[in-house]
Amino acid sequence: MDGSLAAVVGAAIGAIGGLTGGWLAMVGQSRQRREQQRADNQRWRNEMRREAYASYLAATRELNAACWKVADQLSAQGSTSADWQAALAETHDAWARFSTGSSAVSVAGPRSAADDAAELHRAMRRCEMIVVDWARAAIRDGAAHVDDHRARFASAADAKQAPLAAFQRSAREALGTEH
């Protein structure tokens, strides 16, 4: 083999080695970029879920407090129709924030958390509807009718504890904080 052929073969081997090395580096960078994008997407999704879950739980607590306020106002000696109307208005506002939070969780997912949030939504709706009906009847009649409504409300309030616990568990599982 003469020197020029050896130089050509050497150059070809060098070029192939350079191309192969460049290709492997490009494949590695592409894989690293995909993994980084996947990690960024997971971080974004977890943050979105964390925010949705926290807002939903805060709105749940707020609606619960508003419902209890209506029940307490209706049960209080000396409370008036104006007191009942004010408490009822707070409940309507709390319901709007709660419903918004519920929608955010249904979008954020996953399905297990969304399903448990929907069950909690139904349980909270039962509580809210009892106090709304109770307050409207009291305002209409000028009397609180405490006995029947208070017992129904207390029962609904107890019944929401299991769906609340189920949603919290699903949220922890979705966020990977359930140990």
Side-chain angles (χ1 to χ4, degrees), residues 37-53:
Q37 287 172 335
R38 196 176 5 249
D40 290 346
N41 186 45
Q42 185 174 2
R43 214 176 355 270
W44 170 81
R45 186 189 64 228
N46 284 346
E47 184 57 36
M48 176 195 53
R49 284 178 175 170
R50 187 175 293 108
E51 185 176 312
Y53 300 162

Side-chain angles (χ1 to χ4, degrees), residues 107-120:
V107 170
R111 182 176 304 272
S112 59
D115 290 347
D116 287 339
E119 185 59 36
L120 177 56

Side-chain angles (χ1 to χ4, degrees), residues 4-175:
S4 62
L5 181 60
V8 169
V9 170
I13 290 173
I16 291 171
L19 288 173
T20 302
W23 180 78
L24 288 174
M26 185 179 72
V27 167
Q29 289 174 347
S30 178
R31 182 179 311 150
Q32 183 178 8
R33 188 172 38 257
R34 281 191 311 271
E35 288 173 9
Q36 184 63 44
Q37 287 172 335
R38 196 176 5 249
D40 290 346
N41 186 45
Q42 185 174 2
R43 214 176 355 270
W44 170 81
R45 186 189 64 228
N46 284 346
E47 184 57 36
M48 176 195 53
R49 284 178 175 170
R50 187 175 293 108
E51 185 176 312
Y53 300 162
S55 294
Y56 186 53
L57 288 170
T60 300
R61 300 294 186 203
E62 183 182 351
L63 177 58
N64 185 59
C67 287
W68 276 103
K69 183 175 183 178
V70 171
D72 291 344
Q73 284 288 336
L74 288 162
S75 300
Q77 291 290 332
S79 63
T80 65
S81 180
D83 297 328
W84 305 335
Q85 287 174 333
L88 185 59
E90 288 180 34
T91 301
H92 286 303
D93 293 343
W95 177 259
R97 288 184 290 278
F98 173 77
S99 291
T100 299
S102 179
S103 296
V105 171
S106 72
V107 170
R111 182 176 304 272
S112 59
D115 290 347
D116 287 339
E119 185 59 36
L120 177 56
H121 189 267
R122 286 186 288 276
M124 291 301 294
R125 182 68 173 164
R126 284 188 290 275
C127 289
E128 190 258 352
M129 285 308 300
I130 290 168
V131 296
V132 166
D133 291 344
W134 183 8
R136 287 180 179 161
I139 292 165
R140 181 186 64 240
D141 299 342
H145 309 290
V146 173
D147 295 335
D148 180 49
H149 289 95
R150 183 73 176 197
R152 287 179 42 227
F153 175 68
S155 177
D158 288 343
K160 72 175 173 44
Q161 295 306 313
L164 175 60
F167 171 70
Q168 289 172 324
R169 185 175 44 257
S170 290
R172 287 190 307 270
E173 288 171 359
L175 295 172

